[in-house]
Amino acid sequence: MIRRAIAVTLAGAILAACAPSRGERVARDISIVAAERKPDTLLARGLAFAQIGDLTRAEQYLVSALDAGAPAEVVLPKLIDVCIASSHYRAAIEYAAPELQRNPDNASLRFVVAELDASTGDTAAARRELDIVTQAQPLEPAPRFAYARLLRDVIGDPVAADRQFRAYLSLQPNGEHANEARASLLKTVPTEGAPPAVEPQSR
């Protein structure tokens, strides 16, 4: 019995010696929190949550990654995609705003913001942004078509819409939206390769 009691006592002493002290546990917890604050870790967690469809946590981690110093050009597109998937359009606009202030020539991001503005019903902002984008990138067809539809369907300016539809068709005469663009013109234009219309001669 005495030997058994001694063995139990020794076992308890050994376990106590092996168990982490309170200070060690605190230090370990601090290191875990510090690791969580690393931009790469936060970004990876945000992407993982997005992949499994947990959009709320994905947004939280991606925002934290931005705050921790992760590159905006890497994080922001993913963050905006998550916000769009969860219909958080205004939040996406707010996340994009600082980057546009830093890089006002980022026409691709401005185009995304313009479409988000339109989705939230901020027509004036959408028109302003699309006007900037089409002037900055006159050879890009997608902003032309988006601007034309905004002018036609929301603003109700068929003359301005016609100009944008024609600009789109000049860039992509056989593009994805070519049929809709032609149908929306104030005057029809011939399709590519078709003979020009001939005015009837008066007698």
Side-chain angles (χ1 to χ4, degrees):
M1 292 296 291
I2 295 175
R3 289 181 179 178
R4 184 176 180 183
I6 293 172
V8 170
T9 301
L10 287 173
I14 293 170
L15 289 173
C18 293
S21 67
R22 183 176 183 277
E24 290 172 336
R25 289 197 301 271
V26 170
R28 182 192 60 194
D29 293 341
I30 290 174
S31 67
I32 292 172
V33 171
E36 284 278 335
R37 296 302 303 170
K38 290 182 179 178
D40 291 345
T41 302
L42 293 167
L43 174 59
R45 289 188 180 279
L47 295 178
F49 278 120
Q51 190 171 11
I52 64 174
D54 191 339
L55 301 178
T56 299
R57 289 186 180 178
E59 181 179 344
Q60 292 170 347
Y61 271 99
L62 291 173
V63 171
S64 296
L66 272 181
D67 293 341
E73 63 271 17
V74 174
V75 180
L76 197 55
K78 303 294 184 183
L79 177 57
I80 290 176
D81 286 345
V82 166
C83 289
I84 291 173
S86 58
S87 300
H88 291 171
Y89 303 135
R90 294 188 186 279
I93 295 169
E94 292 175 2
Y95 296 142
E99 180 62 19
L100 278 180
Q101 289 178 351
R102 287 189 295 268
N103 299 294
D105 295 332
N106 189 338
S108 298
L109 179 59
R110 192 174 295 278
F111 180 34
V112 172
V113 170
E115 296 203 299
L116 289 168
D117 285 329
S119 297
T120 62
D122 193 344
T123 303
R127 184 172 191 172
R128 181 178 64 250
E129 301 291 6
L130 284 170
D131 191 55
I132 293 172
V133 172
T134 52
Q135 291 186 48
Q137 294 188 323
L139 301 182
E140 287 294 323
R144 293 285 187 177
F145 184 76
Y147 198 6
R149 294 215 311 187
L150 181 75
L151 291 164
R152 180 195 65 189
D153 299 338
V154 182
I155 297 174
D157 188 342
V159 175
D162 182 81
R163 287 195 294 268
Q164 296 301 327
F165 279 127
R166 289 180 187 277
Y168 169 81
L169 287 170
S170 71
L171 296 168
Q172 284 198 336
N174 293 315
E176 179 184 358
H177 307 291
N179 290 337
E180 181 181 347
R182 286 193 180 88
S184 301
L185 296 177
L186 296 180
K187 293 182 180 179
T188 59
V189 294
T191 59
E192 187 180 39
V198 179
E199 295 288 337
Q201 297 181 352
S202 59
R203 295 183 179 179

